[in-house]
Amino acid sequence: MHHPASKPPFDPSIPVSPNNPCPFLRGLAGEGFVEGGTVPLNTLSQTIANATGETGLKKISARIQVRGVALIANGIKHILKSIWSGAQLDALRGGPLDKRGAGSRILGVDGKVNEDEIARLASFGRTYTDPRTGSSEPGLNAAEIQSFMRDNLKRAGSAARWYYKLLMKFEWPILLKIIGKGKQDEERYLSVADVRTLFEERKFPDSINQRILSQPLLSACQLRFRWAVALTAFVIGLGLVALVAVAEFPNQVRAILPQKGILVNLLPPPLPAVPETKAAFWLEQNWSLKDRHWFHHASQGTATFPVPYEWFIALEQPRLHLFSKPGMMKDSAYLEGFGFIPSPQSIQTDTTTLRRFGYANVYETTQPSDWSTRWTPVENVDGLPVGFARMTGVVDPATGRREEDKIGLTCAACHTGQIHYQGVDVRFDGGPAMTDLKKLELSTGLSIAYTLYVPFRFQRFADRVLGPDASKTDRAALKQKLSAIGTFLIDWAQTQQKTIEGKKTWNGRQQQDTEEGFGRLDALNRIGNQVFSQDLALSGVKGFEKNLHAQDAPVSYPAIWTVPWFKFAQYDASIEQPLIRNAGEALGVTALLNLSDAYPADRLWRSSVNIRTLGWIEDMLRGPDPFKAAEPKFGGLLAPKWPSQILGDAWRIDQKKAENGRKIYEQMCSGCHLPAVNTDAFWSSSHWEQSGDSKVLNAVTIPLKEINTDPEQSLVLGNRVVDVPGFLKVNTGDLQTWWQCEVPTASKSPNEMVYALGLMTVVDLVARKWMDDEKVPEAERGKMWNLARKNCLNPAPDPRYRARPLNGIWATAPYLHNGSVPSLYWLLKPASERPTRFCMGRRDYDPVTVGFAVTANETCKTGETQFSAGSEQDPIQGNSVLGHSFERKDGEPKRPGVIGRMFKDDAERYDLIEYLKTL
């Protein structure tokens, strides 16, 4: 082969094998640019790319295309030989490029040119003007060549293969690109004369020779260097593209990543867009504005977030920005994305500010008396949302050392609700929150990781926490502490996942978390994981990771108005004692708790739970004794009223329909949910039981097998078993001694116990320890305990769910205990007709169906979470939509899950819904 730089004049005597049917490759061999035998792919691709006259990226693209075609030119069986040795130009006959009669047929198998086929080629073209000479000649442009190739395939019939069409797109069009005439692509044509010369004489036009001669072939070393430079540039470019994508389009990038693995966890979970609020209103519920704000920010003694208060305030949002600093984690607008409700720094401010937060007294005529002014005041100086509280005066319960202030969630974080309607926010206390705590947990952990590993972030974090003049030693110590927290969070997440993967559910399925999503939380399993596993680990006690359980029984946050007057507050009617109920919740939201035997024994069970504050909150919720009034009625926190006076015509109640609905309610609902709370029938119900010098409502509870709604929450306390260290001396039999329970409480094993008994005993010990440390007088202890309410198991023989009175039912969507039904309308339909998928997040409330309007196969917007029941073959644990169904026909026997007759029509359903709005 002649090197292009020293190529001699054209020599027609150079032989070209008849087994090389490709006109351009014949020309390369005939002109002496390549040998007629085996040609290395690098040589072949460089030579043809040079012939195109392209430069830069277009030339690289041409080389890649040619290399790909050359690689398969001799057939699939010869690919490895082609990679190592090169394309065998004298052995193309019978390979993919030959196309076995589906090509032009200009060159016969004997290597002779068929003039009739050249004439046929010309018949698909027309006359063109040669731009160099001005003379006319026959030729074909790109479209005419395409027609010629299609006709070749048609002529071949069944002999044509599926890949011939693809190969043809690389052959004649490339030939047009290389030896075609004309400057513009749309004017470019292939001269029939040049084709004849190429076939008959194996000769290129002089312009092609000059292109190839002017660009000597690169050596293997030069090629490797160029490839290394190109690869480096490509990697850098790819990195920049990835950085821009992650910074500017994190949600879209996250969506295309595998949803299990490391990469997806490096990006923050998507949040729904928070629309602009035109107006906000807090509904009247018998609390003053001061009480409301106090409830929203009073610390229960929790440190929900893994960093001190000042550190959390200094953390940045887990977003990457190329040219600007990210916002702060504490920004109310950011936390609203997780479903939290904005709150002012103080209610002692101007009316404009109060109105913006919905606190302006625009529809109230009188204010109830303040409760909270008698108690420790609270602050919200950083403008955190409802439910965020600063715990001050923190002492490590194990060491006794003074700690930095902590930040935690209060019961208001989960039990304060709001609905959105056409830009208006309506807010109310005691209702179910529409938050997604899992996303907040993930984002907080990621924020810590970004602070440690993203350039410049720790410097800014340290400046905020320590001040810009802090020493390197102090900064290093701060980073070490933050890194230890980050390491613990990662290790714990891995431990939890590994533990769950090795455990089964009650029904024998592999344990796995069920997505809680917006508006739901598996509080019972979370509390068990915190108290019986993570608190032990934080106390330095190893080996109790085995107590972890999947979060697979999520429930909608229950409404808590009038709950202090119920014998049982939980859906599963499990715990009667109010202080145990509230202190258990505080422990579950991560209070500091010492469970270590490495310190003096009198420090065991010491915690940061503020029992006194829990009592104050209960007092505010409870209000005065309803039976001490002239006419019985609830005080304290009342259920919110249907906001028709705020939201306009679509919210006006049709009194005639409501009256029809009242009759339906009395017939179909009051047997379980009792008469409306504003009726004499409610207050005279036999379900009111004597409790000390007052009464409590022992609401109707329905066995699981009868109501047949999702079973998971009712089974957690009874089916889950926990193990505790022997040195803690947790004796569940003490409940019998302390409370004279009606049912046995002793465990069969001194260390292994049913979760319900273990939790009741542990929380009891924590509360008693707090009272001992605080030297609370006996009389005050009795008041805190409300001794008439025992810390005993519900004596009911089987799992069951409680049917609460329906005051404020309109404000508690989605419905059923697990939040599986989006609206009252769907709750009144037969269970089999309910939607099995719907989206939750920042979406408008529907005043017609009372809840959330659902469309078939609706697609969730960015950041929303999807509730899904799964399929009949693969149901999702905790997400059943069945039970509590109205579908019994006349004469049909009673059966599980069916609690009432079928409604006559939608009109009857909407009559009942209209009445339920008034409760």
PDB file of all heavy atoms in Angstrom, residues 44 61 145 158 206 211 259 287 289-290 301 344 512 526 555 559 573 596 616 633 658 682 794 855 865 901 909:
ATOM      1  N   LEU A  44      -8.701   2.241   7.669  1.00  0.00           N
ATOM      2  CA  LEU A  44      -9.869   2.367   6.808  1.00  0.00           C
ATOM      3  C   LEU A  44     -10.746   3.546   7.233  1.00  0.00           C
ATOM      4  O   LEU A  44     -11.176   4.354   6.408  1.00  0.00           O
ATOM      5  CB  LEU A  44     -10.674   1.064   6.845  1.00  0.00           C
ATOM      6  CG  LEU A  44     -11.777   0.914   5.803  1.00  0.00           C
ATOM      7  CD1 LEU A  44     -11.190   0.934   4.398  1.00  0.00           C
ATOM      8  CD2 LEU A  44     -12.551  -0.386   6.029  1.00  0.00           C
ATOM      9  N   SER A  61     -17.418  11.899  13.868  1.00  0.00           N
ATOM     10  CA  SER A  61     -18.658  11.155  13.673  1.00  0.00           C
ATOM     11  C   SER A  61     -18.560  10.257  12.443  1.00  0.00           C
ATOM     12  O   SER A  61     -19.002   9.100  12.468  1.00  0.00           O
ATOM     13  CB  SER A  61     -19.834  12.122  13.524  1.00  0.00           C
ATOM     14  OG  SER A  61     -21.020  11.442  13.235  1.00  0.00           O
ATOM     15  N   ILE A 145     -31.578   8.903  -4.875  1.00  0.00           N
ATOM     16  CA  ILE A 145     -30.813   7.729  -4.445  1.00  0.00           C
ATOM     17  C   ILE A 145     -31.665   6.864  -3.510  1.00  0.00           C
ATOM     18  O   ILE A 145     -31.651   5.632  -3.588  1.00  0.00           O
ATOM     19  CB  ILE A 145     -29.504   8.158  -3.762  1.00  0.00           C
ATOM     20  CG1 ILE A 145     -28.553   8.787  -4.791  1.00  0.00           C
ATOM     21  CG2 ILE A 145     -28.833   6.977  -3.071  1.00  0.00           C
ATOM     22  CD1 ILE A 145     -27.297   9.373  -4.184  1.00  0.00           C
ATOM     23  N   SER A 158     -38.107 -11.533  -1.256  1.00  0.00           N
ATOM     24  CA  SER A 158     -37.861 -12.240  -0.005  1.00  0.00           C
ATOM     25  C   SER A 158     -36.373 -12.404   0.291  1.00  0.00           C
ATOM     26  O   SER A 158     -35.997 -12.764   1.415  1.00  0.00           O
ATOM     27  CB  SER A 158     -38.533 -13.620  -0.040  1.00  0.00           C
ATOM     28  OG  SER A 158     -38.010 -14.392  -1.111  1.00  0.00           O
ATOM     29  N   ASP A 206     -10.328  13.885  -9.047  1.00  0.00           N
ATOM     30  CA  ASP A 206      -9.099  14.466  -8.490  1.00  0.00           C
ATOM     31  C   ASP A 206      -9.324  15.134  -7.132  1.00  0.00           C
ATOM     32  O   ASP A 206      -8.448  15.118  -6.260  1.00  0.00           O
ATOM     33  CB  ASP A 206      -8.522  15.500  -9.474  1.00  0.00           C
ATOM     34  CG  ASP A 206      -7.964  14.822 -10.726  1.00  0.00           C
ATOM     35  OD1 ASP A 206      -7.681  13.602 -10.633  1.00  0.00           O
ATOM     36  OD2 ASP A 206      -7.829  15.495 -11.749  1.00  0.00           O
ATOM     37  N   ARG A 211      -8.148  15.529  -1.164  1.00  0.00           N
ATOM     38  CA  ARG A 211      -8.568  15.492   0.241  1.00  0.00           C
ATOM     39  C   ARG A 211      -7.780  14.456   1.028  1.00  0.00           C
ATOM     40  O   ARG A 211      -7.315  14.703   2.131  1.00  0.00           O
ATOM     41  CB  ARG A 211     -10.057  15.150   0.338  1.00  0.00           C
ATOM     42  CG  ARG A 211     -11.000  16.248  -0.059  1.00  0.00           C
ATOM     43  CD  ARG A 211     -12.430  15.744   0.099  1.00  0.00           C
ATOM     44  NE  ARG A 211     -13.389  16.615  -0.543  1.00  0.00           N
ATOM     45  CZ  ARG A 211     -14.648  16.275  -0.769  1.00  0.00           C
ATOM     46  NH1 ARG A 211     -15.082  15.084  -0.416  1.00  0.00           N
ATOM     47  NH2 ARG A 211     -15.471  17.123  -1.344  1.00  0.00           N
ATOM     48  N   GLN A 259     -34.513   3.412  41.208  1.00  0.00           N
ATOM     49  CA  GLN A 259     -35.095   3.912  42.452  1.00  0.00           C
ATOM     50  C   GLN A 259     -34.589   3.176  43.683  1.00  0.00           C
ATOM     51  O   GLN A 259     -34.984   3.492  44.804  1.00  0.00           O
ATOM     52  CB  GLN A 259     -36.617   3.847  42.378  1.00  0.00           C
ATOM     53  CG  GLN A 259     -37.208   4.761  41.329  1.00  0.00           C
ATOM     54  CD  GLN A 259     -36.745   6.216  41.456  1.00  0.00           C
ATOM     55  OE1 GLN A 259     -37.073   6.891  42.424  1.00  0.00           O
ATOM     56  NE2 GLN A 259     -35.972   6.698  40.484  1.00  0.00           N
ATOM     57  N   TRP A 287     -60.132  28.196  70.920  1.00  0.00           N
ATOM     58  CA  TRP A 287     -58.810  28.539  71.445  1.00  0.00           C
ATOM     59  C   TRP A 287     -58.500  29.983  71.068  1.00  0.00           C
ATOM     60  O   TRP A 287     -58.851  30.439  69.967  1.00  0.00           O
ATOM     61  CB  TRP A 287     -57.731  27.645  70.853  1.00  0.00           C
ATOM     62  CG  TRP A 287     -57.526  26.348  71.559  1.00  0.00           C
ATOM     63  CD1 TRP A 287     -58.173  25.897  72.664  1.00  0.00           C
ATOM     64  CD2 TRP A 287     -56.579  25.340  71.202  1.00  0.00           C
ATOM     65  NE1 TRP A 287     -57.698  24.652  73.026  1.00  0.00           N
ATOM     66  CE2 TRP A 287     -56.722  24.286  72.142  1.00  0.00           C
ATOM     67  CE3 TRP A 287     -55.642  25.202  70.192  1.00  0.00           C
ATOM     68  CZ2 TRP A 287     -55.942  23.126  72.097  1.00  0.00           C
ATOM     69  CZ3 TRP A 287     -54.880  24.050  70.136  1.00  0.00           C
ATOM     70  CH2 TRP A 287     -55.020  23.019  71.081  1.00  0.00           C
ATOM     71  N   LEU A 289     -55.811  33.073  70.110  1.00  0.00           N
ATOM     72  CA  LEU A 289     -54.651  33.092  69.222  1.00  0.00           C
ATOM     73  C   LEU A 289     -53.375  32.772  69.990  1.00  0.00           C
ATOM     74  O   LEU A 289     -52.479  32.099  69.472  1.00  0.00           O
ATOM     75  CB  LEU A 289     -54.524  34.463  68.545  1.00  0.00           C
ATOM     76  CG  LEU A 289     -55.668  34.866  67.611  1.00  0.00           C
ATOM     77  CD1 LEU A 289     -55.359  36.200  66.952  1.00  0.00           C
ATOM     78  CD2 LEU A 289     -55.897  33.804  66.554  1.00  0.00           C
ATOM     79  N   LYS A 290     -53.275  33.246  71.251  1.00  0.00           N
ATOM     80  CA  LYS A 290     -52.094  32.954  72.067  1.00  0.00           C
ATOM     81  C   LYS A 290     -51.979  31.455  72.328  1.00  0.00           C
ATOM     82  O   LYS A 290     -50.897  30.870  72.248  1.00  0.00           O
ATOM     83  CB  LYS A 290     -52.164  33.724  73.381  1.00  0.00           C
ATOM     84  CG  LYS A 290     -51.959  35.227  73.251  1.00  0.00           C
ATOM     85  CD  LYS A 290     -52.023  35.904  74.615  1.00  0.00           C
ATOM     86  CE  LYS A 290     -51.838  37.414  74.480  1.00  0.00           C
ATOM     87  NZ  LYS A 290     -51.958  38.091  75.808  1.00  0.00           N
ATOM     88  N   GLY A 301     -40.135  18.147  74.819  1.00  0.00           N
ATOM     89  CA  GLY A 301     -38.878  17.517  75.228  1.00  0.00           C
ATOM     90  C   GLY A 301     -38.320  16.592  74.164  1.00  0.00           C
ATOM     91  O   GLY A 301     -37.643  15.619  74.474  1.00  0.00           O
ATOM     92  N   PRO A 344     -46.019  32.560  62.232  1.00  0.00           N
ATOM     93  CA  PRO A 344     -45.272  33.798  62.478  1.00  0.00           C
ATOM     94  C   PRO A 344     -44.291  33.629  63.633  1.00  0.00           C
ATOM     95  O   PRO A 344     -44.423  32.721  64.456  1.00  0.00           O
ATOM     96  CB  PRO A 344     -46.373  34.803  62.836  1.00  0.00           C
ATOM     97  CG  PRO A 344     -47.452  33.963  63.427  1.00  0.00           C
ATOM     98  CD  PRO A 344     -47.414  32.665  62.674  1.00  0.00           C
ATOM     99  N   GLN A 512     -41.148  -5.169  54.256  1.00  0.00           N
ATOM    100  CA  GLN A 512     -40.625  -4.002  53.562  1.00  0.00           C
ATOM    101  C   GLN A 512     -41.477  -2.797  53.928  1.00  0.00           C
ATOM    102  O   GLN A 512     -42.656  -2.930  54.250  1.00  0.00           O
ATOM    103  CB  GLN A 512     -40.603  -4.206  52.050  1.00  0.00           C
ATOM    104  CG  GLN A 512     -41.952  -4.495  51.424  1.00  0.00           C
ATOM    105  CD  GLN A 512     -41.836  -4.667  49.915  1.00  0.00           C
ATOM    106  OE1 GLN A 512     -40.839  -4.309  49.301  1.00  0.00           O
ATOM    107  NE2 GLN A 512     -42.869  -5.222  49.307  1.00  0.00           N
ATOM    108  N   ARG A 526     -42.889   3.033  64.262  1.00  0.00           N
ATOM    109  CA  ARG A 526     -41.803   4.000  64.440  1.00  0.00           C
ATOM    110  C   ARG A 526     -41.442   4.130  65.923  1.00  0.00           C
ATOM    111  O   ARG A 526     -40.263   4.189  66.287  1.00  0.00           O
ATOM    112  CB  ARG A 526     -42.196   5.364  63.873  1.00  0.00           C
ATOM    113  CG  ARG A 526     -42.039   5.476  62.351  1.00  0.00           C
ATOM    114  CD  ARG A 526     -42.589   6.801  61.862  1.00  0.00           C
ATOM    115  NE  ARG A 526     -42.266   7.060  60.473  1.00  0.00           N
ATOM    116  CZ  ARG A 526     -41.239   7.792  60.034  1.00  0.00           C
ATOM    117  NH1 ARG A 526     -40.416   8.319  60.918  1.00  0.00           N
ATOM    118  NH2 ARG A 526     -41.032   7.993  58.754  1.00  0.00           N
ATOM    119  N   VAL A 555     -50.926   5.028  58.958  1.00  0.00           N
ATOM    120  CA  VAL A 555     -52.299   5.486  59.171  1.00  0.00           C
ATOM    121  C   VAL A 555     -52.375   6.980  58.924  1.00  0.00           C
ATOM    122  O   VAL A 555     -51.390   7.697  58.999  1.00  0.00           O
ATOM    123  CB  VAL A 555     -52.796   5.174  60.603  1.00  0.00           C
ATOM    124  CG1 VAL A 555     -52.811   3.677  60.850  1.00  0.00           C
ATOM    125  CG2 VAL A 555     -51.954   5.885  61.648  1.00  0.00           C
ATOM    126  N   ALA A 559     -57.716  12.730  64.113  1.00  0.00           N
ATOM    127  CA  ALA A 559     -58.150  14.006  64.689  1.00  0.00           C
ATOM    128  C   ALA A 559     -58.113  13.893  66.212  1.00  0.00           C
ATOM    129  O   ALA A 559     -58.433  12.844  66.771  1.00  0.00           O
ATOM    130  CB  ALA A 559     -59.555  14.334  64.210  1.00  0.00           C
ATOM    131  N   ALA A 573     -57.936   1.368  69.615  1.00  0.00           N
ATOM    132  CA  ALA A 573     -58.455   1.359  70.987  1.00  0.00           C
ATOM    133  C   ALA A 573     -57.517   0.606  71.919  1.00  0.00           C
ATOM    134  O   ALA A 573     -57.912  -0.323  72.619  1.00  0.00           O
ATOM    135  CB  ALA A 573     -59.862   0.748  71.012  1.00  0.00           C
ATOM    136  N   SER A 596     -28.741   3.027  79.440  1.00  0.00           N
ATOM    137  CA  SER A 596     -27.396   2.468  79.571  1.00  0.00           C
ATOM    138  C   SER A 596     -27.123   2.033  81.008  1.00  0.00           C
ATOM    139  O   SER A 596     -27.516   2.709  81.963  1.00  0.00           O
ATOM    140  CB  SER A 596     -26.354   3.505  79.141  1.00  0.00           C
ATOM    141  OG  SER A 596     -25.050   3.050  79.437  1.00  0.00           O
ATOM    142  N   TRP A 616     -50.104  20.053  80.255  1.00  0.00           N
ATOM    143  CA  TRP A 616     -50.713  21.329  79.843  1.00  0.00           C
ATOM    144  C   TRP A 616     -51.421  21.181  78.494  1.00  0.00           C
ATOM    145  O   TRP A 616     -52.522  21.708  78.303  1.00  0.00           O
ATOM    146  CB  TRP A 616     -49.633  22.403  79.748  1.00  0.00           C
ATOM    147  CG  TRP A 616     -49.060  22.819  81.074  1.00  0.00           C
ATOM    148  CD1 TRP A 616     -49.649  22.676  82.300  1.00  0.00           C
ATOM    149  CD2 TRP A 616     -47.789  23.427  81.300  1.00  0.00           C
ATOM    150  NE1 TRP A 616     -48.822  23.156  83.278  1.00  0.00           N
ATOM    151  CE2 TRP A 616     -47.662  23.642  82.694  1.00  0.00           C
ATOM    152  CE3 TRP A 616     -46.747  23.823  80.486  1.00  0.00           C
ATOM    153  CZ2 TRP A 616     -46.535  24.229  83.270  1.00  0.00           C
ATOM    154  CZ3 TRP A 616     -45.618  24.408  81.053  1.00  0.00           C
ATOM    155  CH2 TRP A 616     -45.518  24.610  82.432  1.00  0.00           C
ATOM    156  N   LYS A 633     -71.712  19.877  77.181  1.00  0.00           N
ATOM    157  CA  LYS A 633     -71.109  20.217  75.890  1.00  0.00           C
ATOM    158  C   LYS A 633     -69.597  20.233  76.057  1.00  0.00           C
ATOM    159  O   LYS A 633     -69.081  20.473  77.148  1.00  0.00           O
ATOM    160  CB  LYS A 633     -71.603  21.568  75.369  1.00  0.00           C
ATOM    161  CG  LYS A 633     -71.220  22.750  76.245  1.00  0.00           C
ATOM    162  CD  LYS A 633     -71.695  24.050  75.609  1.00  0.00           C
ATOM    163  CE  LYS A 633     -71.282  25.243  76.471  1.00  0.00           C
ATOM    164  NZ  LYS A 633     -71.707  26.529  75.863  1.00  0.00           N
ATOM    165  N   ALA A 658     -79.366  18.445  53.575  1.00  0.00           N
ATOM    166  CA  ALA A 658     -78.790  18.110  54.877  1.00  0.00           C
ATOM    167  C   ALA A 658     -79.837  17.473  55.782  1.00  0.00           C
ATOM    168  O   ALA A 658     -79.544  16.539  56.534  1.00  0.00           O
ATOM    169  CB  ALA A 658     -78.205  19.354  55.526  1.00  0.00           C
ATOM    170  N   PHE A 682     -76.695  12.048  72.224  1.00  0.00           N
ATOM    171  CA  PHE A 682     -75.259  11.769  72.371  1.00  0.00           C
ATOM    172  C   PHE A 682     -74.864  11.793  73.847  1.00  0.00           C
ATOM    173  O   PHE A 682     -74.181  10.891  74.341  1.00  0.00           O
ATOM    174  CB  PHE A 682     -74.434  12.794  71.584  1.00  0.00           C
ATOM    175  CG  PHE A 682     -72.947  12.685  71.823  1.00  0.00           C
ATOM    176  CD1 PHE A 682     -72.206  11.697  71.199  1.00  0.00           C
ATOM    177  CD2 PHE A 682     -72.284  13.569  72.673  1.00  0.00           C
ATOM    178  CE1 PHE A 682     -70.836  11.594  71.411  1.00  0.00           C
ATOM    179  CE2 PHE A 682     -70.920  13.468  72.889  1.00  0.00           C
ATOM    180  CZ  PHE A 682     -70.193  12.477  72.256  1.00  0.00           C
ATOM    181  N   ASN A 794     -56.553  -3.036  76.808  1.00  0.00           N
ATOM    182  CA  ASN A 794     -57.975  -3.119  76.506  1.00  0.00           C
ATOM    183  C   ASN A 794     -58.391  -4.585  76.668  1.00  0.00           C
ATOM    184  O   ASN A 794     -57.807  -5.472  76.042  1.00  0.00           O
ATOM    185  CB  ASN A 794     -58.215  -2.656  75.069  1.00  0.00           C
ATOM    186  CG  ASN A 794     -59.682  -2.576  74.704  1.00  0.00           C
ATOM    187  OD1 ASN A 794     -60.515  -3.255  75.298  1.00  0.00           O
ATOM    188  ND2 ASN A 794     -59.998  -1.749  73.717  1.00  0.00           N
ATOM    189  N   THR A 855     -59.398  11.198  39.633  1.00  0.00           N
ATOM    190  CA  THR A 855     -59.722  10.805  38.259  1.00  0.00           C
ATOM    191  C   THR A 855     -59.049   9.469  37.966  1.00  0.00           C
ATOM    192  O   THR A 855     -58.002   9.141  38.546  1.00  0.00           O
ATOM    193  CB  THR A 855     -59.242  11.854  37.244  1.00  0.00           C
ATOM    194  OG1 THR A 855     -57.831  12.061  37.414  1.00  0.00           O
ATOM    195  CG2 THR A 855     -59.966  13.171  37.464  1.00  0.00           C
ATOM    196  N   THR A 865     -47.030  12.154  46.325  1.00  0.00           N
ATOM    197  CA  THR A 865     -46.858  10.728  46.584  1.00  0.00           C
ATOM    198  C   THR A 865     -48.117   9.994  46.159  1.00  0.00           C
ATOM    199  O   THR A 865     -49.221  10.547  46.228  1.00  0.00           O
ATOM    200  CB  THR A 865     -46.578  10.460  48.064  1.00  0.00           C
ATOM    201  OG1 THR A 865     -47.628  11.018  48.866  1.00  0.00           O
ATOM    202  CG2 THR A 865     -45.257  11.058  48.482  1.00  0.00           C
ATOM    203  N   ARG A 901     -76.521  -1.068  54.184  1.00  0.00           N
ATOM    204  CA  ARG A 901     -77.186  -1.334  52.912  1.00  0.00           C
ATOM    205  C   ARG A 901     -76.580  -0.496  51.806  1.00  0.00           C
ATOM    206  O   ARG A 901     -75.915   0.516  52.038  1.00  0.00           O
ATOM    207  CB  ARG A 901     -78.677  -1.005  53.033  1.00  0.00           C
ATOM    208  CG  ARG A 901     -78.973   0.479  53.244  1.00  0.00           C
ATOM    209  CD  ARG A 901     -80.453   0.786  53.073  1.00  0.00           C
ATOM    210  NE  ARG A 901     -80.777   2.169  53.382  1.00  0.00           N
ATOM    211  CZ  ARG A 901     -80.636   3.183  52.541  1.00  0.00           C
ATOM    212  NH1 ARG A 901     -80.136   2.979  51.329  1.00  0.00           N
ATOM    213  NH2 ARG A 901     -80.981   4.416  52.890  1.00  0.00           N
ATOM    214  N   ARG A 909     -76.467   9.447  48.526  1.00  0.00           N
ATOM    215  CA  ARG A 909     -75.129   9.608  49.092  1.00  0.00           C
ATOM    216  C   ARG A 909     -74.837  11.079  49.367  1.00  0.00           C
ATOM    217  O   ARG A 909     -74.333  11.446  50.438  1.00  0.00           O
ATOM    218  CB  ARG A 909     -74.063   9.055  48.131  1.00  0.00           C
ATOM    219  CG  ARG A 909     -74.024   7.553  48.024  1.00  0.00           C
ATOM    220  CD  ARG A 909     -72.818   7.094  47.220  1.00  0.00           C
ATOM    221  NE  ARG A 909     -72.852   5.647  47.051  1.00  0.00           N
ATOM    222  CZ  ARG A 909     -73.453   5.023  46.058  1.00  0.00           C
ATOM    223  NH1 ARG A 909     -74.058   5.712  45.092  1.00  0.00           N
ATOM    224  NH2 ARG A 909     -73.446   3.709  45.991  1.00  0.00           N
TER     225      ARG A 909
END
